[in-house]
Amino acid sequence: MKLIELEKLDELTSDAQKNDRKRKNFNFHDVDDDPVQRMLNAFEPGTYVHPHTHTNPDKREVFIVLRGRLLVLFFNDKGEISRHVILDAEKGVFGVEIAAGDWHTATGLEKGTVVYEIKDGPYIQVEDKNFAKWAPKEGSEEAPLIIERWLKELNL
């Protein structure tokens, strides 16, 4: 049995806040070739995930918010925001399933945001994500600026 408990959420949040990436995950799957990848993922405000798709092979991805608020952005092939959702349990928006091939990213809108993430496996690092060429790479100087631009564009 694997439990999702407040203590683990607090631990991940603390680790994410200390991490330069402002993110931290905890895997429930034991091996990378598990056909269903399951994890907790802490997203602090300002974390930048390089927009990407999951194709070749196609994989779905699901976020279910456990606490906090998570902004999930979707883009067209030109890098323009096509839609967005804010996962917020207090407002009754609990999760989102992202189809294979959808350009997307996510960032925390509130300190302490943690989601349960499910993704088709297996996890093979070189095949897991197809990164958008129209967006800055993670860790680049431009990454924090694009997050600010997206938040401003959405009046958040």
Side-chain angles (χ1 to χ4, degrees):
M1 178 174 69
K2 298 179 181 185
L3 293 175
I4 299 171
E5 298 179 295
L6 182 59
E7 182 179 323
K8 179 52 81 175
L9 274 59
D10 289 344
E11 176 185 325
L12 284 175
T13 293
S14 177
D15 289 348
Q17 289 171 345
K18 296 172 193 167
N19 188 320
D20 289 341
R21 298 174 72 206
K22 300 180 185 171
R23 276 196 320 278
K24 182 67 177 177
N25 73 296
F26 173 81
N27 293 346
F28 283 102
H29 53 280
D30 296 320
V31 293
D32 286 346
D33 63 352
D34 193 307
V36 182
Q37 306 287 298
R38 301 155 334 270
M39 65 205 81
L40 296 175
N41 210 335
F43 290 84
E44 286 298 297
T47 190
Y48 176 74
V49 178
H50 190 160
H52 59 280
T53 63
H54 300 283
T55 56
N56 300 323
D58 290 350
K59 296 181 180 187
R60 297 159 297 182
E61 186 171 18
V62 176
F63 294 125
I64 300 168
V65 69
L66 300 176
R67 72 174 181 198
R69 296 171 62 229
L70 185 77
L71 171 64
V72 182
L73 296 166
F74 295 87
F75 305 91
N76 63 24
D77 289 336
K78 296 177 184 176
E80 301 163 329
I81 297 173
S82 58
R83 60 194 188 280
H84 74 282
V85 62
I86 298 173
L87 303 184
D88 183 339
E90 288 185 15
K91 294 199 175 172
V93 182
F94 301 101
V96 62
E97 181 170 314
I98 301 164
D102 278 355
W103 291 108
H104 64 281
T105 189
T107 192
L109 292 177
E110 186 174 290
K111 289 182 178 184
T113 296
V114 181
V115 301
Y116 185 70
E117 181 177 345
I118 306 161
K119 188 166 51 172
D120 293 319
Y123 175 76
I124 302 170
Q125 187 173 7
V126 297
E127 296 177 354
D128 185 58
K129 294 179 179 87
N130 308 94
F131 291 108
K133 291 182 169 72
W134 41 259
K137 292 183 179 179
E138 188 174 321
S140 69
E141 291 180 18
E142 296 85 8
L145 302 175
I146 200 160
I147 294 171
E148 289 178 23
R149 189 182 96 205
W150 292 332
L151 293 174
K152 186 175 182 182
E153 185 176 332
L154 296 171
N155 295 313
L156 297 175

